[in-house]
Amino acid sequence: MSISEQQGQRLGLKTRTQWSPQLETCCLLVSANESYEDTAHDIAVLTGISVSKSTQQRLVHRHDFPSESVDFGIKEMSLDGGKVRLRTPKGQRSEWRDYKGVNLHQGCVAAFFRQNDALVEWVNQQPLASPLVCLGDGHDGIWNLFAQIAPPVQRLEILDWYHLMENLGQVGGSQHRLDAVETCLWQGDIEGAIKQFDDWPHERVDRFIAYLAKHRHRIVNYAYYQAEGMSIGSGAIESTVKQIGRRIKISGAHWDEDNVQQVLRQRCAYLNGYFSK
């Protein structure tokens, strides 16, 4: 028997539906972690109720996952990109496209597919502390987004230490020299780091020095900030992207372009503890 409008208002349920709200929540929770086909199987085992994989998918795409927000000042955040495989006509090669992940440290996470303006708007709606530490790797797209978040005077942009070391490792050469450069950079001493290469002209050195110049204002005294308990790496957002990928990149998964954002919302809702509230 379907729920009438009057019953729905009194009980807080959806009208003209035979769905138990708890069953729907269980379906959404399970499908946030695995394929719709596996969800259908597991729900049948757990509840004894058969809910087909197509119905599982419809439940996700009709659900209104709320935008997460925080009620305290965000002191740190990080951004990074992830990949999602789009559905293509049979016989054509897979297409992988980028989405952007956001981690408001100690707050919540979010992801946006081809919606950079929505990402910036969402972050700017949160209570952002001053200074706001913005952590990212060396990709221009990440820093272009940070440039639209909070006033410049409020942002403290920090280049991910591990990304910096990865680029240093690509220079190669003497390990003694690389260790000396690392020591300088750990203290934020860019000039001292560059001086270590004075007697070794090489194109790899030139690229690294250009990289340092590009991110000069983002290379800080990492030793000091770590001692103060602040983040110096973008591990939080890298973990977030991996966690999102555990759903959207499961074996065989490919998505209609129009459905990607809703699946990202569902996965982020799960990671934010939405289903346990």
Side-chain angles (χ1 to χ4, degrees):
M1 181 178 67
S2 296
I3 300 296
S4 68
E5 184 173 352
Q6 185 177 11
Q7 290 171 324
Q9 291 175 350
R10 185 169 68 252
L11 299 174
L13 304 177
K14 294 180 180 180
T15 61
R16 288 180 289 279
T17 180
Q18 297 177 328
W19 275 97
S20 156
Q22 185 62 30
L23 176 59
E24 181 168 346
T25 297
C26 288
C27 290
L28 293 171
L29 187 154
V30 175
S31 67
N33 284 281
E34 58 188 38
S35 70
Y36 298 126
E37 184 174 4
D38 288 344
T39 298
H41 175 268
D42 289 350
I43 289 294
V45 172
L46 293 169
T47 68
I49 300 173
S50 177
V51 183
S52 69
K53 64 178 183 180
S54 58
T55 301
Q56 299 287 352
Q57 183 178 22
R58 285 196 295 271
L59 287 174
V60 171
H61 291 289
R62 81 181 189 188
H63 192 82
D64 183 18
F65 297 103
S67 296
E68 192 75 14
S69 61
V70 295
D71 57 5
F72 57 89
I74 297 297
K75 297 180 180 180
E76 297 180 355
M77 67 169 294
S78 48
L79 292 171
D80 201 2
K83 295 284 188 182
V84 58
R85 186 171 71 152
L86 300 183
R87 190 185 302 277
T88 53
K90 188 174 181 179
Q92 292 189 12
R93 295 181 62 182
S94 298
E95 291 184 8
W96 291 87
R97 293 292 180 265
D98 294 331
Y99 68 88
K100 295 296 190 301
V102 187
N103 190 313
L104 305 181
H105 297 192
Q106 310 302 319
C108 58
V109 302
F112 298 84
F113 178 67
R114 294 181 174 176
Q115 295 185 6
N116 286 349
D117 291 344
L119 182 158
V120 170
E121 180 181 4
W122 177 75
V123 174
N124 282 327
Q125 288 174 350
Q126 310 302 321
L128 305 176
S130 184
L132 171 67
V133 174
C134 299
L135 289 149
D137 59 22
H139 291 94
D140 290 340
I142 298 300
W143 299 110
N144 290 340
L145 287 173
F146 276 134
Q148 303 173 62
I149 294 171
V153 68
Q154 186 176 350
R155 292 193 311 272
L156 173 58
E157 298 182 357
I158 297 180
L159 179 67
D160 172 37
W161 168 254
Y162 306 100
H163 187 272
L164 176 57
M165 289 300 98
E166 181 181 354
N167 276 265
L168 173 60
Q170 293 174 0
V171 177
S174 163
Q175 188 60 49
H176 177 75
R177 188 199 310 272
L178 295 179
D179 290 343
V181 174
E182 178 177 345
T183 299
C184 291
L185 293 175
W186 182 241
Q187 304 293 333
D189 181 7
I190 298 176
E191 298 306 323
I194 294 175
K195 189 173 181 61
Q196 302 299 320
F197 295 109
D198 282 352
D199 61 344
W200 188 39
H202 196 283
E203 60 179 314
R204 292 198 302 270
V205 172
D206 293 341
R207 284 198 297 269
F208 184 67
I209 291 176
Y211 169 83
L212 294 180
K214 178 178 180 179
H215 295 289
R216 174 178 291 271
H217 62 291
R218 301 179 181 121
I219 298 173
V220 299
N221 187 329
Y222 294 95
Y224 170 80
Y225 283 110
Q226 185 180 67
E228 291 295 308
M230 299 173 64
S231 298
I232 60 170
S234 54
I237 185 59
E238 291 175 5
S239 175
T240 296
V241 169
K242 288 180 181 177
Q243 289 292 325
I244 293 173
R246 288 182 61 183
R247 174 62 181 102
I248 66 171
K249 294 173 73 174
I250 59 175
S251 179
H254 51 286
W255 308 93
D256 288 335
E257 184 172 343
D258 293 341
N259 294 340
V260 171
Q261 186 59 51
Q262 184 68 352
V263 175
L264 291 174
R265 288 194 189 101
Q266 180 196 18
R267 181 61 179 168
C268 288
Y270 173 81
L271 295 175
N272 289 325
Y274 168 72
F275 298 108
S276 58
K277 295 177 181 178

